[in-house]
Amino acid sequence: MAPVIGVTATLKQDLDSVAERPLGSYVRADLDYVAGVAQAGGVPLVLPPIPGVAEEMARGVDGLLLSGGSDLDPAYYGEEALPELGVTIPERDALEMALLEHALKRGIPVFGICRGLQVINVALGGTLYQDLPTQLGGGSIAHRQQTPKWQWTHEVETEGGSNVAEIMGARSLRVNSYHHQGVKDLADGLVVSAHASDGVVEAVESSNLSECWLVGVQWHAEAMRDAESAEHRNLFAAHVAAAERHATRRRAAA
Ligand code: MN
């Protein structure tokens, strides 16, 4: 049976009138998360950011994909907002933090993309740079590219022996880059599995992968699946395969 992969949605808001109720929940189609899951043989299930159902949602999926999007409220890592902080969506932050906690408790394989990597790091106790250009100053390369999302703009170096290096089959990768935040203090339980030339963390994974499949990448792998190499598709395939193994174990235990 194809594993069900929960893909977290965001809220569409009229930002000119913050008092208005959100217009709806959605997963961006130009950033092709659901197509990435389906291409890998999983069944994508969009999870809207509504309160109070995180545990039930976690129970209903075999894998969890934390998608990209707005900035996480820095209160989750004990900081006040800097002027450069972007839009935050409290409903989404609350659902994803709770969802991740329940997913990890149940051993559900988790794949985080861009914001998803950042949510993983913070949920496990790490912190973020709220804004790389101002906080890293002149030492930072451009992590907010101005070219189409399927184009790479910087290289990343994977750590030898890491799960990400093995999945992608390469030590040096070309990736797109659409983030202004990044990992500052790495959470316990995570290891860095790729970094950019300026030292910015570009991928993380669980330090105990046999017990918990957990991978986060800072680039938008879903938008690079059609690149000539299979590297980015391989991330989706590895996540769906881990979810399938989890589902099989769960059925056997039932
Ligand atoms: Mn980057």
Side-chain angles (χ1 to χ4, degrees):
M1 252 164 51
V4 175
I5 309 293
V7 182
T8 55
T10 190
L11 287 177
K12 186 170 180 58
Q13 285 172 313
D14 183 349
L15 296 175
D16 295 329
S17 53
V18 288
E20 297 284 331
R21 286 169 59 82
L23 300 171
S25 51
Y26 72 109
V27 175
R28 286 174 62 152
D30 60 336
L31 297 171
D32 231 354
Y33 306 102
V34 292
V37 168
Q39 183 184 43
V43 179
L45 183 68
V46 174
L47 307 176
I50 50 174
V53 293
E55 191 171 1
E56 291 77 5
M57 276 182 178
R59 208 177 288 153
V61 300
D62 305 309
L64 178 64
L65 171 52
L66 297 169
S67 63
S70 50
D71 290 355
L72 184 66
D73 186 340
Y76 283 103
Y77 46 94
E79 287 187 14
E80 298 266 35
L82 297 178
E84 294 79 14
L85 182 75
V87 171
T88 58
I89 301 178
E91 297 91 332
R92 183 177 186 189
D93 290 351
L95 177 80
E96 288 188 343
M97 293 294 279
L99 200 50
L100 183 54
E101 185 192 324
H102 290 295
L104 294 177
K105 218 178 278 177
R106 301 178 75 85
I108 292 170
V110 177
F111 181 26
I113 292 181
C114 200
R115 165 195 164 92
L117 173 154
Q118 296 162 6
V119 169
I120 289 169
N121 186 51
V122 172
L124 293 177
T127 66
L128 303 177
Y129 288 112
Q130 291 186 39
D131 184 62
L132 292 172
T134 48
Q135 291 184 279
L136 287 188
S140 170
I141 63 169
H143 287 281
R144 254 186 173 168
Q145 72 186 53
Q146 305 291 325
T147 48
K149 296 181 171 63
W150 57 87
Q151 289 184 357
W152 66 273
T153 56
H154 72 70
E155 298 208 356
V156 301
E157 184 97 10
T158 59
E159 304 299 328
S162 69
N163 193 39
V164 167
E166 192 183 321
I167 289 168
M168 302 194 74
R171 291 295 311 281
S172 183
L173 294 160
R174 291 165 162 182
V175 301
N176 58 13
S177 196
Y178 282 93
H179 58 112
H180 80 116
Q181 300 200 313
V183 169
K184 189 161 67 181
D185 300 307
L186 188 70
D188 287 343
L190 292 180
V191 293
V192 172
S193 35
H195 60 270
S197 62
D198 58 3
V200 166
V201 172
E202 289 280 342
V204 299
E205 61 190 56
S206 164
S207 56
N208 191 356
L209 272 156
S210 57
E211 284 192 12
C212 164
W213 198 99
L214 178 64
V215 168
V217 298
Q218 190 59 76
W219 64 90
H220 281 275
E222 79 287 355
M224 298 194 78
R225 289 176 297 112
D226 294 329
E228 270 175 44
S229 64
E231 293 153 352
H232 302 282
R233 284 195 297 278
N234 286 351
L235 285 167
F236 283 86
H239 180 227
V240 168
E244 198 163 10
R245 289 195 299 275
H246 172 76
T248 302
R249 277 197 305 271
R250 202 172 62 167
R251 274 196 300 274

